[in-house]
Amino acid sequence: MLTSITEGILCCLTGKAASLVLPLESSEPSNGFEFVEVKPGRVLRVRHIVPERQPVVTEDQMSSGKKKTKVDSNEDDGGSEDVMKGPPKGSSVHCKRKITVYRNGQLVIENLGDVLHSEILQCQDGDLEPCSTVEVELADYKELASSPEPNPMPPRVPPHAGDQKPAPPPRRRRRKPKRTVLIDSKRAISSCKGTQSDVALFFVHGVGGSLDIWGSQLDFFSRLGYEVIAPDLAGHGASKAPPIAAAYTFYALAEDLRAIFKRYARKRNILIGHSYGVSFCTFLAHEYPDLVHKVVMINGGGPTALEPSLCSIFQLPSCVLHCLSPCLAWSFLKAGFARQGAKEKQLLKQGNAFNVAPFVLRAMMSGQYWPEGDEVYHAELTVPILLVHGMCDKFVPMDEDQRMAEILLFAFLKVIEEGSHMVMMECPDTVNTLLHEFFLWEPDMSKTESIKCDTETKATTNDIVQTLRVNKTVDK
């Protein structure tokens, strides 16, 4: 700690930032470490593991006696030509949704298509209920007092007992929507197995982390035959750290991950994000709906637009943060893990977490500006999403992930009671099992035809409406 304070004082006197993280020579090239230049002078470390697979032979080729294999390629073509032709086999789900934003800040979501319901780990196939009714009204929703009836009626005189009639319901003034979004598409959702060469898993860490925090997941799924890709964000792990703050804004980092995704993407890609990394997974799923097959969000928070906090300790000068780095690391250990024993300290050290330059940490926290990532942006997603939350998480409250599950079209929320913010490091076996079941999950369409007639008759009387209060000020 004395060394950190001394270096911080020298940093203040000289006006120079502390030493930044630079790319390192990979000492284990056999483990799939690569250095990718996403832009001139901007180099990211990526761990890319491609399992050895047996040649795949189709039924037609077997019947004709001709054996032809699929060819895998890592060309930067968005993964559109490196897999077998035709859509993957799976269940076709009708995604139909109407999203309306009103001027009073109210958000109304009408699910007019299929709604998925499933219990991961309890059944292999999920149930699909077309046009099922869901009504949600948050506790903080109230009728605004600023918009009363234009001509309030005087109090009525009660009639005689013989002429008494029930009072009609109060009439509400019609609201004018500020914005309306219509979604009407079909999505094929299939089981993703490690033996399928058109499946790739992308792991994205958050602020202060590195690809090493996914060590258990990378080893587990690569052994199952999955192709896995995990990058270090700029300034993290062994990636290069540019000396300007603009290099760490949300949009700059999102473009880095876009380049990584386009380089390694297959036909069916699954994105797994943690904390801040969840926002980048949402961005990619929104930008590439045909390539992103499923998404996993681990302690990612609510579906609100990102905006840096002006009253944060990370707004202090970099030299001050350098002096406080031991305290920050201890605070992260206490808040990020449910327990703070020797095992957790070792996990933190092995995962190379929260081991970034103070300048990078400050620039990352100040650059979290993403106004497009609001509730409507998340409600537009049609990809199935698994939400994993550690019950003891002190960074992300439970109600934020619950709100995310309400906003998303196809979302499954799973809570791990013994886990905290770094749940994938604390409970690797539980997380790996949850993720694997979700990868193999596929909707069960067998009940669709049997309940189709019932849903058509009930559709005229049951509105599928979710009324949600937007937690931000809407311009009137």
Side-chain angles (χ1 to χ4, degrees):
M1 183 173 180
L2 181 60
T3 304
S4 299
I5 296 176
T6 304
E7 292 178 356
I9 295 175
L10 292 176
C11 172
C12 293
L13 294 176
T14 59
K16 298 181 180 179
S19 58
L20 303 181
V21 181
L22 298 176
L24 303 177
E25 292 293 336
S26 177
S27 59
E28 298 175 306
S30 60
N31 286 345
F33 287 100
E34 304 173 5
F35 286 97
V36 180
E37 189 174 24
V38 293
K39 290 182 180 179
R42 195 175 176 100
V43 182
L44 303 184
R45 182 182 68 155
V46 180
R47 188 176 183 188
H48 180 208
I49 304 177
V50 182
E52 296 181 0
R53 298 190 180 97
Q54 296 295 329
V56 180
V57 182
T58 62
E59 295 180 359
D60 296 338
Q61 293 169 349
M62 292 181 63
S63 60
S64 61
K66 298 180 181 180
K67 297 185 178 180
K68 297 181 180 180
T69 61
K70 303 175 188 176
V71 179
D72 293 339
S73 174
N74 288 331
E75 297 295 331
D76 186 9
D77 57 359
S80 59
E81 298 180 359
D82 60 348
V83 293
M84 60 182 181
K85 297 181 180 180
K89 296 181 180 179
S91 302
S92 180
V93 179
H94 187 195
C95 306
K96 189 174 183 181
R97 196 170 226 201
K98 181 179 179 181
I99 308 168
T100 307
V101 181
Y102 293 94
R103 295 187 179 275
N104 64 351
Q106 185 180 3
L107 177 66
V108 176
I109 303 176
E110 301 177 61
N111 296 324
L112 307 175
D114 297 334
V115 179
L116 297 176
H117 297 280
S118 175
E119 288 295 331
I120 310 299
L121 291 179
Q122 295 186 10
C123 62
Q124 185 67 23
D125 298 325
D127 296 334
L128 187 144
E129 302 177 4
C131 298
S132 61
T133 302
V134 179
E135 296 183 1
V136 179
E137 185 171 342
L138 300 186
D140 60 351
Y141 176 77
K142 298 178 182 178
E143 289 292 333
L144 297 182
S146 59
S147 57
E149 290 291 334
N151 296 317
M153 297 296 292
R156 297 179 58 187
V157 178
H160 297 288
D163 299 334
Q164 190 172 4
K165 296 181 180 179
R171 297 178 59 186
R172 292 186 178 181
R173 188 177 63 176
R174 282 193 173 186
R175 301 162 299 175
K176 294 183 179 180
K178 180 181 178 181
R179 180 186 176 192
T180 301
V181 179
L182 298 176
I183 300 174
D184 191 352
S185 62
K186 288 190 176 182
R187 170 178 286 274
I189 304 175
S190 58
S191 172
C192 298
K193 300 179 181 180
T195 56
Q196 298 167 335
S197 61
D198 65 336
V199 176
L201 310 182
F202 288 81
F203 294 84
V204 184
H205 67 81
V207 177
S210 72
L211 64 85
D212 297 321
I213 69 173
W214 302 108
S216 298
Q217 286 71 44
L218 298 179
D219 295 339
F220 178 80
F221 288 106
S222 61
R223 288 197 302 267
L224 291 178
Y226 287 94
E227 180 178 357
V228 297
I229 302 97
D232 277 333
L233 297 181
H236 293 66
S239 293
K240 189 173 182 179
I244 56 175
Y248 304 97
T249 63
F250 174 84
Y251 296 103
L253 298 172
E255 289 303 317
D256 291 347
L257 293 175
R258 186 203 294 269
I260 296 295
F261 181 77
K262 291 176 65 176
R263 179 183 178 89
Y264 296 103
R266 298 295 183 178
K267 193 165 187 176
R268 291 183 294 168
N269 304 280
I270 302 177
L271 309 180
I272 303 97
H274 171 251
S275 193
Y276 190 29
V278 168
S279 298
F280 301 112
C281 293
T282 303
F283 171 80
L284 293 175
H286 205 277
E287 292 290 309
Y288 301 98
D290 296 331
L291 290 177
V292 177
H293 202 65
K294 296 176 182 178
V295 176
V296 178
M297 301 180 176
I298 302 177
N299 293 328
T304 55
L306 298 181
E307 186 174 353
S309 176
L310 299 178
C311 301
S312 172
I313 189 175
F314 297 104
Q315 298 298 327
L316 296 174
S318 300
C319 54
V320 178
L321 290 178
H322 189 76
C323 297
L324 299 176
S325 57
C327 298
L328 294 176
W330 178 83
S331 300
F332 179 79
L333 174 64
K334 186 175 181 180
F337 291 86
R339 301 177 181 85
Q340 293 80 41
K343 176 184 176 182
E344 286 71 26
K345 293 180 181 179
Q346 184 65 21
L347 288 175
L348 193 64
K349 183 178 179 180
Q350 292 177 352
N352 200 20
F354 218 75
N355 185 25
V356 297
F359 170 78
V360 174
L361 186 61
R362 183 178 188 273
M364 287 282 292
M365 300 302 294
S366 301
Q368 293 185 2
Y369 178 70
W370 186 35
E372 293 85 2
D374 57 4
E375 289 88 347
V376 177
Y377 190 92
H378 288 80
E380 291 175 343
L381 296 176
T382 59
V383 58
I385 298 176
L386 173 64
L387 300 168
V388 180
H389 184 86
M391 179 66 75
C392 303
D393 191 352
K394 297 180 181 178
F395 290 112
V396 180
M398 178 67 183
D399 56 356
E400 290 193 15
D401 275 332
Q402 289 177 338
R403 180 177 176 82
M404 179 72 85
E406 294 170 351
I407 289 284
L408 296 172
L409 179 59
F410 303 139
F412 314 113
L413 175 60
K414 293 298 173 182
V415 180
I416 300 179
E417 296 182 358
E418 63 273 17
S420 184
H421 193 66
M422 307 299 290
V423 64
M424 64 282 185
M425 300 177 70
E426 296 175 294
C427 313
D429 295 338
T430 303
V431 172
N432 292 343
T433 304
L434 277 174
L435 267 57
H436 193 210
E437 288 289 337
F438 180 63
F439 298 164
L440 299 179
W441 170 79
E442 171 178 331
D444 183 10
M445 303 295 294
S446 59
K447 300 181 181 179
T448 305
E449 296 297 331
S450 61
I451 62 177
K452 184 176 181 180
C453 297
D454 295 338
T455 56
E456 290 179 353
T457 57
K458 295 179 180 179
T460 57
T461 57
N462 295 336
D463 295 329
I464 306 91
V465 178
Q466 297 181 2
T467 304
L468 303 170
R469 180 69 172 174
V470 180
N471 291 336
K472 61 187 178 78
T473 303
V474 180
D475 295 336
K476 296 183 178 180

